[in-house]
Amino acid sequence: MSCCPIKCPCGTQTLDADCGVTLSVSASEYVARVCSQVTFTVVLTNNSEETLQNAVLVCPCHGALALLPNTVTVNGNSIENATPECIPLGEVGPNTSVTITYTCVVMQCQRYISTQACAKFCICCCLNKKSFIVKSEPHTLQVCCCCQGNN
């Protein structure tokens, strides 16, 4: 599956939480230091009656973060060579959730690092395939800049 498989002719629409598809981001730490490892958890929940097709998660690593290789998992299964910028999820059935995790290292002393996930997918509607995007609320990680090197 290509990273961004959505090529629907009608364009892409952004959905709000009322559509039944939600996305959330959390982190293993609230406050981190430079060189700390932080594991992010993203949960895509499909409470709609439709199957999400060609679903892809986009959760770009902030410039102050570096992805630890081979740490991306989908429902506990390791995804080789995946990056948070493009995690293929395939089909997500009605009334199901998908949990994605990945671990990054804090590389820069930047007071706050904000992360937001985005899921792209298609839904068949009246024999037409339509492309949609759902965004999470931003998650903010605070970086303690006063204690560098005191890991």
Side-chain angles (χ1 to χ4, degrees):
M1 173 185 310
S2 68
C3 180
C4 295
I6 298 175
K7 299 193 180 348
C8 299
C10 59
T12 301
Q13 302 172 20
T14 300
L15 298 176
D16 58 28
D18 296 339
C19 74
V21 180
T22 59
L23 195 59
S24 65
V25 178
S26 61
S28 60
E29 306 292 330
Y30 294 103
V31 179
R33 293 183 268 181
V34 173
C35 297
S36 295
Q37 292 185 10
V38 179
T39 299
F40 291 91
T41 301
V42 182
V43 179
L44 173 65
T45 303
N46 179 10
N47 288 323
S48 75
E49 297 176 6
E50 303 294 330
T51 296
L52 311 182
Q53 301 172 2
N54 298 328
V56 174
L57 178 72
V58 179
C59 191
C61 275
H62 187 279
L65 300 172
L67 176 71
L68 283 177
N70 301 316
T71 62
V72 177
T73 68
V74 176
N75 288 335
N77 299 309
S78 183
I79 307 298
E80 275 189 45
N81 301 320
T83 66
E85 286 80 14
C86 180
I87 302 171
L89 304 176
E91 289 189 354
V92 179
N95 301 307
T96 60
S97 292
V98 178
T99 301
I100 302 95
T101 62
Y102 60 94
T103 302
C104 293
V105 175
V106 178
M107 300 299 291
Q108 296 176 9
C109 183
Q110 184 170 333
R111 190 75 173 129
Y112 298 101
I113 299 172
S114 184
T115 303
Q116 185 174 28
C118 171
K120 300 177 183 182
F121 53 88
C122 289
I123 295 177
C124 284
C125 180
C126 301
L127 302 177
N128 291 319
K129 195 177 263 191
K130 294 188 177 185
S131 173
F132 296 96
I133 292 176
V134 173
K135 295 180 180 179
S136 72
E137 292 294 322
H139 177 277
T140 302
L141 174 68
Q142 184 176 355
V143 179
C144 181
C145 296
C146 61
C147 47
Q148 287 178 281
N150 294 329
N151 295 324

